[in-house]
C-alpha cells in the first residue's frame, strides 16, 4: 500500500467545520496514514492565529502582566472545536499545565508550540489515530539547530510500528527535553522530514489555495495556478517571496525524491500543484512558470579599470563581506565592474564602514550604492531553452518604461533575476506576468 504524509495548515484546522472536512479527506484515501497538523489559524480575515495569541500570552507572562484573559480566549478556541466535534478531551488539565509554565518558567518556544500540540492531540482523538509528540522525534541540538540524521532515525522508529498517526508540526526538542520551534510556518518542515524519514510515496500539503500561483495574487488578479513545478523552481520562487510552502520544507522531500502535492482543503477535487524532481514530458507547457520578487535591496557598484585582469579583485570584495559575515544575494562581474546585491536591512548599521573598507583596500575608480531596488526572479527550467522567453520578458519591462538596474542570468536553466526600482516593482511584475499569460498560445 502507498503511504502518504498529509500536512494540514492552520486554516485547514481553524475550527470544527474544517476538522470535519479534513476527516473526509483523510478517510477518502487509506494511504493518508500520517498526518501533520498546525495550530488553528485564521477563521476569517481579521481573526488571530492561535500561535500569535500564544506568543502574546508569553510576552505578557514574561514582563509580569496578567495573561489570564488572553489564555482564556485561546482555551475558548479549543473548547469550541471540541464541543462541536463532540469529543471528550481534558482541556482544563492541559491548560493548567500551560498556565503553570507561564507563571513559573515562561519560555517562548514552549508556549508557541502549544497550538500544534493541542490541535494535533484533538485531531488524533477525532480521527482515532495515535498522537505522536515530536519532542521524541524532531531532534534539535543544544543550540537549537535541527539534527536531520537523528530526526530521520527517530521519526522512523516512532512511525514504523503505527498504522496511522497525527504528529504535531512546528516543534521538536533537544536532548535535555527543551522545546525548540522551527521558524514561522514550520509545520511544513515537519511534514517534509516525516515524509523523508518513512520513505513516503507522496507528501501532501493541504492549505487554502489550489496550488502555487504563477504570480502574487495581490498584484495579479486570478493568476494562473501552476500544475507542475520542479523542486528547484519551487525553492527559487519561495526564496523570492512566493509564500506557499516554508522554504526549508522542500529540502528533505527533494533529497528523498518525494513528490509534494499542494492541495486545497476547501476544494479537495482540485489537483493542486505537483512538485517533482523532473518535470514530466508534455506537462511543462510554459517556458516561464512563475514570477516572484522582493523589495528592499541595495546595489553596490564598484568600478576599476582592468578589474578583469586582476583575478583577485572580486575575491577581495567577497572576502570583505565574509569577514563581516554579511551575506549577499548576487555578485555580478563585468569587464571593469563588480556589482553586489545585498538586503538593505543588513546594511543599516554598516553601510558607510563597508564602503570605506572597500575603498581603502581596493582603491576603486568609482563606488556607489543604490537603495530601494527590488529583485524579481523569473523562473522556469525551460526558460533559457526557449528561444525568446527572456527577450520577451525584458521587452515587456522596457515597454512598461521601467529602468532595469541589474540583470543576472547564469548558465543554469533556472532563472532570470532582474533588479528594478522598488516603486516600479508592481508594474514590473504585471509586465512580466503578461508574457507568461500569452506564452501558452505561442506553443
Ligand atoms: N503555527 C505556526 C505558525 O503560525 C507554524 C505553522 O503553522 O506551520 O507559524
Amino acid at each position: 500500500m502507498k503511504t502518504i504524509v498529509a500536512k494540514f495548515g492552520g486554516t485547514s484546522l481553524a475550527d470544527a467545520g474544517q476538522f470535519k472536512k479534513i476527516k473526509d479527506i483523510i478517510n477518502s484515501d487509506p494511504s493518508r496514514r500520517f498526518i501533520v497538523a498546525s495550530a488553528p489559524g485564521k477563521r476569517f480575515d481579521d481573526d488571530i492565529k492561535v500561535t500569535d495569541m500564544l506568543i502574546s500570552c508569553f510576552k505578557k507572562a514574561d514582563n509580569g502582566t496578567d495573561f489570564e484573559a488572553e489564555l482564556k480566549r485561546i482555551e475558548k478556541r479549543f473548547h469550541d472545536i471540541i464541543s462541536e466535534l463532540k469529543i471528550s478531551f481534558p482541556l482544563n488539565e492541559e491548560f493548567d499545565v500551560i498556565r503553570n509554565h507561564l507563571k513559573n518558567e515562561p519560555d517562548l518556544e514552549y508556549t508557541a508550540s502549544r497550538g500544534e500540540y493541542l490541535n494535533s492531540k484533538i485531531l488524533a482523538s477525532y480521527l482515532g489515530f495515535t498522537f505522536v509528540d515530536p519532542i521524541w522525534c524532531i531532534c534539535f541540538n543544544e543550540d537549537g539547530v535541527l539534527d536531520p540524521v537523528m530526526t530521520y532515525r527517530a521519526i522512523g522508529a516512532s512511525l514504523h510500528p503505527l498504522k496511522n498517526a497525527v504528529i504535531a508540526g512546528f516543534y521538536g526538542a533537544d536532548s535535555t527535553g527543551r522545546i525548540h520551534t522551527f521558524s514561522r510556518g514550520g509545520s511544513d518542515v515537519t511534514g517534509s522530514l516525516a515524509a523523508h524519514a518513512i520513505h513516503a510515496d507522496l507528501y501532501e500539503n493541504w492549505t487554502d489555495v489550489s496550488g502555487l500561483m504563477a504570480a502574487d495574487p495581490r498584484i495579479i488578479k486570478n493568476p494562473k495556478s501552476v500544475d507542475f513545478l520542479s523542486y528547484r523552481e519551487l525553492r527559487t520562487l519561495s526564496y523570492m517571496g512566493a509564500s506557499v510552502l516554508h522554504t526549508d520544507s522542500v529540502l528533505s522531500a527533494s533529497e528523498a525524491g518525494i513528490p509534494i502535492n499542494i492541495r486545497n482543503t476547501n476544494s479537495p477535487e482540485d489537483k493542486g500543484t505537483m512538485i517533482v524532481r523532473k518535470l514530466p514530458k508534455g506537462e511543462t507547457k510554459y517556458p516561464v512558470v512563475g514570477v516572484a520578487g522582493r523589495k528592499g535591496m541595495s546595489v553596490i557598484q564598484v568600478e576599476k579599470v582592468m578589474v578583469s585582469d586582476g583575478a583577485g579583485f572580486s575575491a577581495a570584495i567577497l572576502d570583505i563581506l565574509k569577514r563581516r559575515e554579511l551575506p549577499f544575494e548576487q555578485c555580478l562581474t563585468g569587464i571593469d565592474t563588480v556589482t553586489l546585491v545585498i538586503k538593505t536591512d543588513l546594511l543599516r548599521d554598516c553601510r558607510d564602514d563597508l564602503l570605506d573598507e572597500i575603498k581603502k583596500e581596493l582603491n576603486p575608480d568609482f563606488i556607489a550604492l543604490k537603495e530601494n531596488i527590488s529583485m524579481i526572479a523569473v523562473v522556469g527550467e525551460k526558460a533559457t531553452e526557449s528561444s525568446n522567453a527572456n527577450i520577451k520578458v525584458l521587452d515587456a519591462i522596457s515597454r512598461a518604461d521601467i529602468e532595469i538596474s541589474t540583470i543576472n542570468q547564469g548558465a543554469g536553466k533556472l532563472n532570470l533575476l532582474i533588479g528594478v526600482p522598488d516603486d516600479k516593482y508592481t508594474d514590473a511584475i504585471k509586465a512580466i506576468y503578461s508574457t507568461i499569460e500569452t506564452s501558452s498560445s505561442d506553443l
Side-chain angles (χ1 to χ4, degrees):
M1 186 175 68
K2 266 179 36 178
T3 296
I4 296 175
V5 169
K7 179 256 165 180
F8 290 88
T11 50
S12 303
L13 286 155
D15 59 24
Q18 294 299 83
F19 270 67
K20 290 177 188 167
K21 282 186 197 165
I22 74 166
K23 187 175 191 171
D24 289 343
I25 291 169
I26 293 165
N27 287 344
S28 69
D29 185 344
S31 40
R32 293 192 175 112
R33 292 174 51 206
F34 300 117
I35 311 302
V36 175
S38 281
K42 291 186 179 194
R43 295 159 294 181
F44 41 85
D45 276 354
D46 299 337
D47 201 12
I48 306 174
K49 293 178 178 186
V50 163
T51 308
D52 288 320
M53 296 167 88
L54 285 161
I55 292 171
S56 126
C57 229
F58 159 78
K59 284 185 183 152
K60 289 192 168 125
D62 199 41
N63 61 33
T65 31
D66 187 15
F67 57 82
E68 192 54 38
E70 183 82 44
L71 194 63
K72 277 264 177 294
R73 274 195 289 276
I74 303 171
E75 189 168 352
K76 165 108 177 39
R77 292 248 353 221
F78 287 107
H79 176 80
D80 289 350
I81 293 174
I82 292 162
S83 61
E84 198 184 322
L85 296 180
K86 300 189 176 50
I87 49 175
S88 74
F89 188 83
L91 203 58
N92 289 343
E93 282 92 318
E94 294 284 6
F95 271 85
D96 281 346
V97 176
I98 300 172
R99 185 174 290 106
N100 280 338
H101 260 273
L102 284 165
K103 272 189 191 142
N104 303 322
E105 41 178 332
D107 179 273
L108 173 61
E109 291 180 81
Y110 165 82
T111 313
S113 72
R114 294 304 85 186
E116 269 70 16
Y117 166 80
L118 289 169
N119 227 22
S120 305
K121 255 186 149 173
I122 293 168
L123 181 63
S125 148
Y126 180 54
L127 295 172
F129 288 8
T130 307
F131 166 68
V132 172
D133 192 332
I135 56 167
W136 306 115
C137 56
I138 301 284
C139 310
F140 289 88
N141 69 21
E142 253 77 303
D143 299 325
V145 178
L146 182 82
D147 181 335
V149 176
M150 283 256 285
T151 296
Y152 292 141
R153 222 178 283 146
I155 296 178
S158 303
L159 298 189
H160 271 306
L162 301 173
K163 186 164 170 267
N164 306 98
V166 179
I167 314 149
F170 188 43
Y171 71 94
D174 63 26
S175 58
T176 68
R178 189 188 161 126
I179 284 188
H180 291 283
T181 57
F182 293 112
S183 55
R184 295 299 302 269
S187 301
D188 287 344
V189 185
T190 311
S192 187
L193 289 165
H196 180 129
I198 56 147
H199 312 290
D201 297 281
L202 180 65
Y203 171 31
E204 287 179 344
N205 195 294
W206 291 82
T207 174
D208 56 359
V209 287
S210 293
L212 187 102
M213 306 289 163
D216 185 340
R218 287 166 301 188
I219 300 176
I220 306 291
K221 209 165 159 228
N222 296 325
K224 265 204 256 274
S225 60
V226 181
D227 298 339
F228 280 90
L229 201 66
S230 72
Y231 298 125
R232 290 202 318 166
E233 288 170 337
L234 177 71
R235 261 193 72 72
T236 308
L237 284 172
S238 55
Y239 181 78
M240 291 303 285
S243 60
V244 71
L245 277 182
H246 190 294
T247 321
D248 295 346
S249 70
V250 187
L251 203 63
S252 320
S254 67
E255 272 170 3
I258 298 164
I260 306 171
N261 190 192
I262 299 170
R263 300 284 294 266
N264 188 349
T265 299
N266 303 320
S267 193
E269 56 295 340
D270 292 351
K271 288 199 170 116
T273 300
M274 192 62 111
I275 300 145
V276 288
R277 183 173 288 159
K278 217 169 166 342
L279 297 166
K281 275 212 159 58
E283 293 290 354
T284 49
K285 288 194 221 95
Y286 317 114
V288 174
V289 293
V291 54
R294 287 184 180 195
K295 288 184 168 182
M297 300 286 169
S298 289
V299 172
I300 300 176
Q301 189 187 342
V302 191
E303 285 187 16
K304 190 167 170 89
V305 175
M306 308 300 277
V307 158
S308 51
D309 288 1
F313 193 80
S314 326
I317 293 186
L318 297 185
D319 196 47
I320 294 173
L321 298 184
K322 190 171 165 212
R323 285 200 307 264
R324 291 177 164 268
E325 296 183 11
L326 194 58
F328 62 94
E329 300 291 306
Q330 294 171 53
C331 172
L332 315 171
T333 52
I335 306 296
D336 287 334
T337 63
V338 175
T339 305
L340 297 167
V341 180
I342 300 177
K343 285 184 190 134
T344 304
D345 276 356
L346 301 176
L347 290 171
R348 286 256 179 275
D349 302 326
C350 65
R351 179 199 132 116
D352 294 342
D353 286 355
L354 174 69
L355 297 185
D356 285 348
E357 197 172 340
I358 297 175
K359 279 186 211 155
K360 215 159 109 207
E361 275 196 32
L362 296 159
N363 193 24
D365 301 332
F366 174 81
I367 181 162
L369 181 143
K370 228 192 215 174
E371 290 187 334
N372 305 319
I373 301 293
S374 298
M375 273 308 140
I376 299 178
V378 185
V379 174
E381 300 254 330
K382 298 193 88 193
T384 50
E385 277 173 33
S386 158
S387 53
N388 57 5
N390 301 0
I391 294 167
K392 274 189 184 167
V393 166
L394 296 176
D395 182 50
I397 296 177
S398 122
R399 271 188 288 114
D401 207 15
I402 298 168
E403 174 203 339
I404 295 178
S405 313
T406 57
I407 301 178
N408 182 7
Q409 186 186 300
K413 289 179 183 169
L414 188 57
N415 62 31
L416 176 65
L417 294 165
I418 302 164
V420 300
D422 276 346
D423 60 356
K424 293 288 179 187
Y425 173 70
T426 305
D427 292 346
I429 296 280
K430 285 183 181 159
I432 296 167
Y433 183 77
S434 70
T435 73
I436 303 181
E437 221 166 26
T438 51
S439 64
S440 52
S441 52
D442 298 351
L443 292 157

